[in-house]
Amino acid sequence: MSEYDPIARLYDPWSASVVEDVSFYVEEALASGGPVVELGVGTGRIAIPTAAAGVAVIGVDSSQGMLEVCAEQARAAGVAGLLDLRLGDLRHPPVDEQVPLVTCPFRAYLHLASDAERLVALAAARSLLRPGGRLIFDVFMPSREDIEETHGRWIEREPGIDERADWDTEAQTLTLSVRGAAGESTMQLSWLEPARWHALLVEAGFEVAACYGWFDRRPYRGGEDSVWIAHVRK
Ligand SMILES: C[S@@+](CC[C@H](N)C(=O)[O-])C[C@H]1O[C@@H](n2cnc3c(N)ncnc32)[C@H](O)[C@@H]1O
């Protein structure tokens, strides 16, 4: 059972305000020519617009509930034929195909709890890439202000949906709780400094082509979010 199963029907209303990354990932999918493997595909927030743009997506997720919602929404959007949804772990994705683009949007790599897990996941992504292919993902690292403002408080994130962040700055973990009429859950996320992500990518055999500070491709200059484009080192 995934911690996302109880909130599969809450996830889209909870993340309703997160829209800034969609066109970025769709553009990258179009540029790659597809198919795209999306690790942690969730309810298809990115995968469905990607398929609607004509690019086939293999979506991997460890939550059966999230995949069910994704499948329903893909059918409703008329793109089910371009979405191949697979239940599985992003550290060992059930994918034999080689693709030009692997993505892991909206911080799904923060579900990895140790460098060992991160290296396994990055190596798995690397093994799916065709020569010249790219891995694109985004992660975050909280600012001190963010931690001070939110720590240990239930905050209404969307109407009727409350979120609580319990930060452990020493362990660099966030215990994130969410509750609403459609479900509730608590999950743990782990963050790293961007320099650590860079080092892990290199250790996993990637070369970093770009590290942006936002989805408009501005260079990373020390904010909370970082967006990575990496290709397999020759
Ligand atoms: C923040 S959501 C992102 C969903 C989607 N990519 C989006 O942009 O809305 C993270 C997703 O990663 C999935 N996930 C977390 N750990 C995973 C793992 N080890 N293997 C596969 N999926 C995982 C969760 O089930 C969830 O659907």
Side-chain angles (χ1 to χ4, degrees), residues 150-208:
T150 60
H151 181 67
R153 296 173 50 219
W154 282 101
I155 294 168
E156 188 172 51
R157 169 79 180 264
E158 295 292 340
I161 303 177
D162 297 330
E163 184 183 283
R164 173 181 166 140
D166 290 277
W167 307 93
D168 181 334
T169 50
E170 211 160 289
Q172 300 200 162
T173 57
L174 160 63
T175 304
L176 182 63
S177 302
V178 59
R179 64 186 185 199
E184 59 182 75
S185 188
T186 294
M187 59 189 75
Q188 195 159 78
L189 304 170
S190 300
W191 75 85
L192 293 181
E193 293 75 15
R196 286 293 306 141
W197 278 109
H198 193 295
L200 287 168
L201 281 164
V202 170
E203 194 173 341
F206 285 100
E207 191 169 325
V208 173

Side-chain angles (χ1 to χ4, degrees), residues 53-94:
V55 181
V57 180
I58 300 168
V60 174
D61 205 283
S62 54
S63 164
Q64 181 72 52
M66 295 288 274
L67 289 178
E68 279 165 17
V69 175
C70 188
E72 275 171 28
Q73 298 190 148
R75 281 193 295 276
V79 297
L82 280 174
L83 263 187
D84 177 351
L85 299 176
R86 304 183 189 177
L87 182 66
D89 195 305
L90 59 80
R91 290 166 294 184
H92 307 284

Side-chain angles (χ1 to χ4, degrees), residues 4 11 38 40-42 45 61-63 66 88-90 105-106 111:
Y4 279 83
Y11 180 82
E38 183 180 337
V41 69
R45 198 180 59 82
D61 205 283
S62 54
S63 164
M66 295 288 274
D89 195 305
L90 59 80
F106 200 18
H111 290 286

